[in-house]
Amino acid sequence: MKKNLKITFLGTGTSLGVPEIGCVCEVCTSTDMKNKRLRPSVLVESEEISILIDTTPDLRIQALKYKVNRINAILYTHQHADHIYGLDDIRRFNYLQKSSIPCYGNEKTIKVIMNSFSYILKNDKRFEYFLPKIDFHTINNKFHIGDIEIIPVEVLHGGLSILGFRIGNFAYLTDCNKIPESSRKFLYGLDVLVLDALRKKSHIAHFNLSEAVSEAGLISADRAFFTHISHDLEHNTINKQLPENIKLAYDGLVVEL
Ligand SMILES: [Zn+2]
Ligand SMILES: [Zn+2]
Ligand SMILES: [Zn+2]
């Protein structure tokens, strides 16, 4: 599949965002906009289709800031709070597009979202205009949204098996600390890889910076960008230390392929 894709980073921060509430460290007090990180999400656009990966608690702000005016589908990586709790903001897109929006995730993720947002599923006509309209789909294998092929890629996030996604020659692997051998076949020949890199110290559920650099080296995409970044990593300082084709992403970064 050869498609032109435009990737917009709507958020590149860890679950607390950067700055963290009440923190006075160098990164949290930095005036450089590249050190300000909303919760992690990307928008993937082709000419016809606009796909949102995860609905963060910052979704409304992200949509306003980066002029996201259309969402044809939502892909969920997993059920953690920093990846799902903006789902209610989908109401505006339902209104603008006059349609419900399909959401895709693995079985566990869809189950947790349906529990967390159980009011959405109440088919109560009285509240029709106040509820997000979502069609939930459980996915295991590759599928299509319009003419775009989506390949779910299983990665490990601590003890949890979650999904990354390959779309054309782009792959988005947030929240992971291990890529199973069985998933590597989906990661050959990438133009752009996005990978989790939380901080310098190791973590039980996320790659740290040095692990992310070696994983990116193994996957060997033309270019790699790191996301889900904490206040431990100052944008310019770290970017100067990274190889030429591997960089920290930042909110608002647009990558075309
Ligand atoms: Zn997360
Ligand atoms: Zn801080
Ligand atoms: Zn997570």
Side-chain angles (χ1 to χ4, degrees), residues 30-176:
S30 163
T31 52
D32 185 342
M33 290 308 286
K34 291 179 179 168
N35 283 319
K36 302 204 181 300
R37 302 169 181 136
L38 297 173
R39 267 59 77 86
S41 174
V42 287
L43 186 73
V44 181
E45 293 171 280
S46 71
E47 256 174 47
E48 302 92 40
I49 300 281
S50 196
I51 298 170
L52 178 68
I53 305 187
D54 291 333
T55 53
T56 82
D58 298 320
L59 178 56
R60 176 175 168 274
I61 298 297
Q62 291 167 327
L64 292 171
K65 204 167 164 185
Y66 300 111
K67 305 208 172 354
V68 181
N69 297 323
R70 183 176 61 130
I71 293 174
N72 297 102
I74 301 167
L75 305 180
Y76 279 106
T77 59
H78 67 305
Q79 68 272 25
H80 285 162
D82 49 328
H83 298 262
I84 70 169
Y85 275 115
L87 177 60
D88 197 76
D89 287 331
I90 288 306
R91 287 178 296 158
R92 270 303 289 164
F93 297 95
N94 293 141
Y95 177 81
L96 292 168
Q97 297 165 203
K98 308 274 176 273
S99 69
S100 65
I101 293 175
C103 288
Y104 302 85
N106 69 17
E107 194 180 345
K108 173 95 183 157
T109 302
I110 295 298
K111 213 167 159 182
V112 173
I113 293 173
M114 284 171 128
N115 278 330
S116 308
F117 294 88
S118 55
Y119 63 91
I120 292 178
L121 304 168
K122 292 204 176 83
N123 212 355
D124 191 329
K125 290 278 176 231
R126 287 174 303 164
F127 305 122
E128 200 175 16
Y129 296 106
F130 308 105
L131 298 177
K133 291 174 188 59
I134 308 290
D135 300 322
F136 292 103
H137 300 275
T138 298
I139 46 164
N140 300 305
N141 297 308
K142 65 180 177 186
F143 63 102
H144 285 80
I145 297 171
D147 57 350
I148 296 189
E149 183 181 73
I150 314 286
I151 302 175
V153 180
E154 212 174 289
V155 294
L156 294 175
H157 179 28
L160 199 64
S161 174
I162 74 155
L163 295 182
F165 296 100
R166 179 176 182 146
I167 304 172
N169 285 339
F170 164 73
Y172 184 74
L173 311 178
T174 186
D175 292 63
C176 53

